[in-house]
Amino acid sequence: MIESSGRVFIETQDDAWDILKRLLENKIDPDKTVIDFSKSDWINFHLNYKGSIFKQTLTPSVMSGIVEYQRLLYQVIALVTKGDPKVTRLTDVEKETFELVFKVNEGSTDLLARAQEVIDAISGKVFDNMTSAHKMICVLAIALMFFGHLGFQTYLENNLELSKISAQTGRDKQLTDIIQQLAPSRAEKAKLLDEASEAVPQVQDIRDKSEEAFEGIVKTAGGVDELSVQGVRVGAETIRTLTQTTRRQAKKVTLRGRFTVSNVDTKVKSGFLIRFDKVGEDLSITANIADALLAERYRKVIERATFSKRPINVVITARQVGNSYLDAKVLKASTPRK
């Protein structure tokens, strides 16, 4: 990241996350600071379809998924700039400005759309009924969720968890490996997005539309041997599993009760992850303590529970989708009174 004379040049995705964090902490005055995306080469949309029918060609099904992705991108742009998600609120000139143009490379069907100018164009617009800080938070959320790594990773993790996969077969282990690889890296970013969603409600809409857009890409990828989205590769078996998953809306819930602690992962940058098992019920949930003060306050309670295997009282907040709990966070942990 380069900062010079009131201008901040975002070069990497980590830079974008850092700017988002500083905005939420009021450490940047967007009225006096220009966020510049001209060096953000990572802002793109990359698809690669491998299979016997994909030799620099596209099927109607695949094209429909890409068209749907563009439509949902239009929707979030209309939402943040016009206050209304209807695509018809955008003029023909605006639609042309925000349209993704794909380059098809040789070999398998490899599609790349540079979106840096799209994000620049969004950040240069006047947003209706929105402060400069809230506007920039929305622009960063669109860049990160639609054109960074996290959007597709979030879709994968949420939907692979929904299918309740066990590692009993090679195929199943492939899916659980994907989930395990993604979960630790998402904790800190998910916390930032939760904070952003609380500060600017439109951010949650951006997250939801992003997941819906990637779902459209996956569920129209019939006939592929392998699909790569934003550099994350999934095979035909994974795609079939995802295609069979029925999309369900998440709702925020608070869980209270007695839990035992079966595992603690302290290697997560955002804090540490704890696996809780609810006493008397077939419920296991992995939750994060990302807040440093909460982590320090409840560390001894959780450590004692880990070694003693005795239950503790826990309050957890999470997003529930079906019987799965996502982005779970510990709000309180205490030792039961005798």
Side-chain angles (χ1 to χ4, degrees):
M1 180 164 46
I2 302 172
E3 299 186 41
S4 175
S5 303
R7 183 176 292 268
V8 178
F9 293 89
I10 293 178
E11 296 182 282
T12 67
Q13 291 186 54
D14 286 339
D15 289 347
W17 286 109
D18 182 59
I19 293 297
L20 177 60
K21 186 173 187 292
R22 288 163 64 181
L23 281 167
L24 291 169
E25 294 173 348
N26 297 316
K27 293 181 178 179
I28 288 182
D29 184 351
D31 290 319
K32 298 179 180 179
T33 307
V34 176
I35 309 298
D36 196 313
F37 293 94
S38 63
K39 298 181 184 296
S40 304
D41 293 340
W42 56 270
I43 299 181
N44 58 58
F45 185 42
H46 184 208
L47 298 170
N48 186 285
Y49 297 88
K50 291 185 178 179
S52 58
I53 61 174
F54 294 100
K55 301 296 181 184
Q56 291 185 275
T57 56
L58 291 174
T59 64
S61 175
V62 164
M63 285 189 287
S64 70
I66 296 172
V67 170
E68 178 66 3
Y69 185 96
Q70 177 72 70
R71 187 184 70 83
L72 289 161
L73 176 61
Y74 279 152
Q75 281 191 353
V76 297
I77 294 172
L79 173 67
V80 299
T81 60
K82 313 285 186 179
D84 186 338
K86 293 186 180 68
V87 177
T88 52
R89 291 298 305 275
L90 298 177
T91 66
D92 290 340
V93 173
E94 287 173 325
K95 289 178 185 176
E96 184 176 351
T97 300
F98 303 130
E99 187 175 35
L100 298 175
V101 179
F102 287 91
K103 177 183 177 182
V104 183
N105 297 317
E106 295 181 2
S108 57
T109 300
D110 188 281
L111 305 174
L112 178 65
R114 298 291 182 188
Q116 180 181 322
E117 292 182 359
V118 172
I119 295 300
D120 262 332
I122 300 171
S123 62
K125 291 188 68 64
V126 175
F127 287 22
D128 292 344
N129 303 316
M130 196 175 289
T131 66
S132 298
H134 288 185
K135 165 188 168 179
M136 187 47 59
I137 287 170
C138 286
V139 172
L140 288 167
I142 293 172
L144 289 165
M145 295 305 291
F146 273 82
F147 304 117
H149 300 310
L150 190 73
F152 186 58
Q153 291 176 351
T154 300
Y155 162 73
L156 272 185
E157 183 180 357
N158 288 354
N159 287 276
L160 292 180
E161 280 191 358
L162 288 181
S163 56
K164 289 189 171 181
I165 301 159
S166 62
Q168 295 179 353
T169 68
R171 181 196 69 180
D172 291 339
K173 188 174 189 308
Q174 177 192 12
L175 301 184
T176 51
D177 284 347
I178 291 174
I179 295 171
Q180 291 166 358
Q181 289 166 13
L182 298 181
S185 66
R186 283 194 60 244
E188 187 172 3
K189 295 178 176 64
K191 178 178 181 290
L192 271 180
L193 287 172
D194 285 343
E195 292 175 5
S197 299
E198 291 178 7
V200 189
Q202 291 88 341
V203 171
Q204 187 58 53
D205 292 311
I206 293 167
R207 297 169 75 177
D208 292 341
K209 294 296 183 184
S210 165
E211 184 169 343
E212 191 176 340
F214 286 113
E215 179 180 60
I217 294 295
V218 170
K219 294 198 171 184
T220 55
V224 303
D225 295 331
E226 181 182 274
L227 170 66
S228 174
V229 182
Q230 301 299 75
V232 180
R233 296 190 300 272
V234 290
E237 288 293 326
T238 305
I239 292 170
R240 274 192 284 273
T241 299
L242 290 166
T243 302
Q244 292 165 4
T245 301
T246 301
R247 181 177 176 82
R248 288 170 283 180
Q249 293 295 320
K251 62 179 180 180
K252 287 189 176 180
V253 296
T254 300
L255 306 173
R256 294 179 173 85
R258 291 198 174 188
F259 294 80
T260 56
V261 178
S262 57
N263 186 54
V264 177
D265 183 357
T266 59
K267 297 179 181 179
V268 181
K269 289 183 180 179
S270 60
F272 54 98
L273 292 171
I274 309 102
R275 181 180 175 84
F276 294 99
D277 300 306
K278 193 165 187 181
V279 175
E281 295 184 26
D282 184 18
L283 170 61
S284 295
I285 183 169
T286 299
N288 173 258
I289 299 186
D291 185 282
L293 293 176
L294 289 180
E296 186 60 32
R297 183 183 304 173
Y298 302 134
R299 183 183 295 273
K300 289 185 179 179
V301 173
I302 292 169
E303 286 178 348
R304 285 196 295 266
T306 304
F307 293 113
S308 69
K309 303 300 180 184
R310 293 180 179 177
I312 56 175
N313 294 326
V314 183
V315 179
I316 299 171
T317 182
R319 291 190 304 121
Q320 183 179 6
V321 185
N323 294 322
S324 297
Y325 297 93
L326 314 173
D327 300 329
K329 299 176 183 63
V330 177
L331 298 182
K332 187 176 181 180
S334 61
T335 303
R337 294 180 180 178
K338 293 184 178 179

